[in-house]
Amino acid sequence: MASDQLVLVDVRPAWRRLLLVPIVALCLIGAWMVARWCIGHTMAERAPDAATARAAVSLAPSDPQPYYSLAVLSAREALTTEEVAAALEDYERAVARSPYEYRLWMELGRAREQAGDPTGGEKALKRAVELAPHYAQPRWMLGNLLLRQGRADEAFEQLKVAGEADPSLRPQIFHLAWRAYDGRLATVIAKVGGSPGARAQLVQYLLGLKRLDDAVQLWNSLNADEKRAQREAGDALIKAAFEAKRFRLVLDLYRALEPDVPAAVGRLINGDFEEDIATYGTSLFGWQIAQTEQPQVRLDARTAYSGERSLRLIFNAPKTVEFRGVSQFIVVEPATRYRLSYFFRTENLKSASTLIVQVVDAGAPDRVLAESAPVPDGSNEWQPVVLDFATTPQTEAITVRIVREPCFSAVCPIFGKIWYDKFSFEQIGNGASLGERRGNDRGGNQNGTGR
């Protein structure tokens, strides 16, 4: 019976099969070379010492990484001139194997200068700049080399571009320029302060040098849009002016950044509490309300002397609590008479120490210019308070604040509700007739003018 199975017979001659041998051999050799390269490259990246890097070079002689690692490690361990020269040769070999890698040219430039060849170092760093013209680091290194050679103008051409590419370098660049040009501000600005971003950062550098007036002058060289775009520098300038007690300057700087805020000399903002109050610390002008456990401070839309809202404080404190949580900063004229008026209301207020309204000199907070009588206990319908006072010849700003009067007992509880509304502030004349107030003199009352 015939078999139904199909039998395959290899009829290819042996010589054709032998041709596969060199092909397989070449594949194996190629795989081994690739494996050696990978092993050498990995060893070079992680080499702990020069000996390991040399072994990596022997495994991957065409790879620039082993030569670079060997150069770095050899230079670190070099003690003689010959060892330094050998490390430099390894840098050269690395560059020769990867001539378009700007990082290798940077390291070669550094190594050449350290080996006593600043001209060769400059040439290598210029090649790095050519390969990466928009990167900060090559220009930073070239600028520093030129500066060490006493070529300041050329150096800052490179450093200025480096600062544009990486603004975090600018404080160091400003410091170098300040020293190189002996603190001549106009020259420093011309060399490294061309763009709005650079000028804004230079403003902050000048603040660090305590040169507030120079910083203001430079800030004012920016236009309105540039100032708002560089808000961080503007805020730093406002803070420095405030700390220097230059309050009129603070107002001018703030209005440039916040043109919609109705801040002005002698103006109390949102005295009727009809507008929302910003989170504490977010705005210099307007009411500041610190969030504390006691009292609860809220805008009340159900109770008002006029309009639709008032400020309500609810106390439920069986123990002693201090309160200085409501205030407003106002720029004023020196040696000028002003009048502050407002209304208050209470409900079931009980305490031996209630609240008072104070006007203090913002430049000397211990100097109280006016102070109301304490809010009375019990329940009281809306009552007016008027405080007249005079600023001193040195006063540039005041703070209107609602505070708790001092307690003189170990336990000083306070309970009940207090509302405030319709604060108004106006100038009523110069301060000559009232004279300068000093210290913590008390003044003002609930029924009329207090000072």
Side-chain angles (χ1 to χ4, degrees):
M1 183 176 179
S3 173
D4 295 331
Q5 294 181 346
L6 178 64
V7 178
L8 298 177
V9 179
D10 187 358
V11 297
R12 289 177 296 178
W15 66 267
R16 295 184 67 181
R17 291 197 297 271
L18 291 175
L19 290 177
L20 296 175
V21 174
I23 295 174
V24 172
L26 288 173
C27 290
L28 291 174
I29 293 171
W32 167 238
M33 293 180 65
V34 170
R36 284 188 54 171
W37 188 93
C38 291
I39 293 171
H41 186 86
T42 302
M43 287 177 60
E45 286 185 324
R46 303 178 181 180
D49 51 41
T52 305
R54 288 191 189 93
V57 167
S58 66
L59 288 171
S62 63
D63 182 7
Q65 180 63 49
Y67 291 98
Y68 171 71
S69 298
L70 179 59
V72 172
L73 294 167
S74 298
R76 188 182 302 166
E77 300 171 6
L79 298 176
T80 65
T81 303
E82 291 76 12
E83 290 172 332
V84 172
L88 179 58
E89 288 180 5
D90 288 321
Y91 277 118
E92 300 277 5
R93 293 188 182 101
V95 168
R97 284 159 178 78
S98 184
Y100 298 104
E101 175 53 66
Y102 79 93
R103 295 181 183 88
L104 295 178
W105 283 103
M106 285 196 313
E107 296 303 328
L108 177 60
R110 191 206 313 262
R112 283 177 175 175
E113 185 189 13
Q114 291 175 348
D117 181 15
T119 301
E122 179 184 345
K123 182 178 179 181
L125 289 173
K126 284 184 175 179
R127 178 58 179 156
V129 169
E130 289 175 1
L131 292 170
H134 303 297
Y135 285 26
Q137 201 62 24
R139 292 185 182 273
W140 167 257
M141 294 178 65
L142 177 58
N144 275 274
L145 183 147
L146 294 171
L147 194 59
R148 287 190 289 271
Q149 298 302 310
R151 296 153 64 185
D153 290 345
E154 293 177 71
F156 285 105
E157 288 179 7
Q158 300 297 328
L159 294 173
K160 182 178 180 179
V161 179
E164 293 295 329
D166 183 0
S168 68
L169 293 173
R170 281 184 180 141
Q172 301 175 70
I173 294 170
F174 297 152
H175 180 68
L176 293 173
W178 195 262
R179 294 179 59 185
Y181 296 110
D182 298 321
R184 298 193 299 275
L185 181 58
T187 305
V188 172
I189 294 172
K191 295 299 181 182
V192 295
S195 69
R199 293 193 173 211
Q201 284 187 271
L202 185 53
V203 164
Q204 298 192 66
Y205 178 77
L206 291 171
L207 292 177
L209 297 179
K210 308 299 182 183
R211 299 176 69 100
L212 176 58
D213 289 330
D214 286 338
V216 171
Q217 180 180 356
L218 180 57
W219 176 252
N220 287 334
S221 70
L222 302 177
N223 63 38
D225 291 337
E226 290 169 342
K227 287 178 179 178
R228 286 191 285 272
Q230 305 297 330
R231 179 63 187 256
E232 183 179 349
D235 288 341
L237 196 55
I238 290 172
K239 180 181 178 182
F242 194 93
E243 291 174 349
K245 300 178 181 180
R246 301 270 297 276
F247 299 125
R248 182 61 69 90
L249 175 59
V250 167
L251 176 61
D252 293 339
L253 294 169
Y254 190 87
R255 286 194 298 195
L257 291 176
E258 298 286 354
D260 296 333
V261 175
V265 176
R267 181 166 187 174
L268 185 144
I269 298 173
N270 195 20
D272 54 9
F273 302 103
E274 297 302 302
E275 303 293 331
D276 290 337
I277 296 174
T279 303
Y280 183 81
T282 60
S283 178
L284 180 60
F285 293 91
W287 292 110
Q288 304 289 309
I289 299 181
Q291 295 301 314
T292 58
E293 291 186 7
Q294 290 291 333
Q296 298 178 23
V297 184
R298 300 286 188 275
L299 294 177
D300 189 345
R302 295 177 297 177
T303 303
Y305 175 80
S306 65
E308 298 181 356
R309 298 200 293 189
S310 65
L311 184 71
R312 183 191 65 200
L313 296 82
I314 302 178
F315 286 92
N316 185 20
K319 298 181 180 179
T320 302
V321 293
E322 294 185 3
F323 177 69
R324 294 177 177 269
V326 179
S327 63
Q328 184 165 161
F329 170 80
I330 307 171
V331 176
V332 295
E333 298 286 356
T336 302
R337 290 190 296 156
Y338 288 96
R339 173 170 294 161
L340 174 71
S341 61
Y342 62 92
F343 289 80
F344 76 90
R345 178 180 183 271
T346 65
E347 182 180 303
N348 298 323
L349 184 64
K350 297 178 181 179
S351 180
S353 172
T354 62
L355 301 188
I356 57 177
V357 172
Q358 291 181 331
V359 179
V360 300
D361 191 323
D366 291 336
R367 180 184 293 141
V368 179
L369 303 176
E371 183 177 284
S372 72
V375 172
D377 278 355
S379 297
N380 298 275
E381 289 303 317
W382 290 105
Q383 296 187 21
V385 179
V386 177
L387 300 176
D388 290 354
F389 64 95
T391 58
T392 75
Q394 293 76 38
T395 303
E396 288 193 11
I398 61 169
T399 301
V400 176
R401 64 190 188 190
I402 302 173
V403 301
R404 191 180 185 192
E405 64 175 336
C407 279
F408 298 102
S409 60
V411 179
C412 190
I414 180 170
F415 302 92
K417 301 177 182 179
I418 308 175
W419 288 263
Y420 289 95
D421 200 3
K422 201 172 175 56
F423 276 82
S424 65
F425 187 68
E426 60 181 327
Q427 180 179 332
I428 58 175
N430 61 53
S433 61
L434 291 181
E436 181 179 347
R437 301 293 180 179
R438 298 181 177 86
N440 290 323
D441 294 341
R442 296 170 65 97
N445 55 54
Q446 313 284 23
N447 303 310
T449 62
R451 289 192 180 274

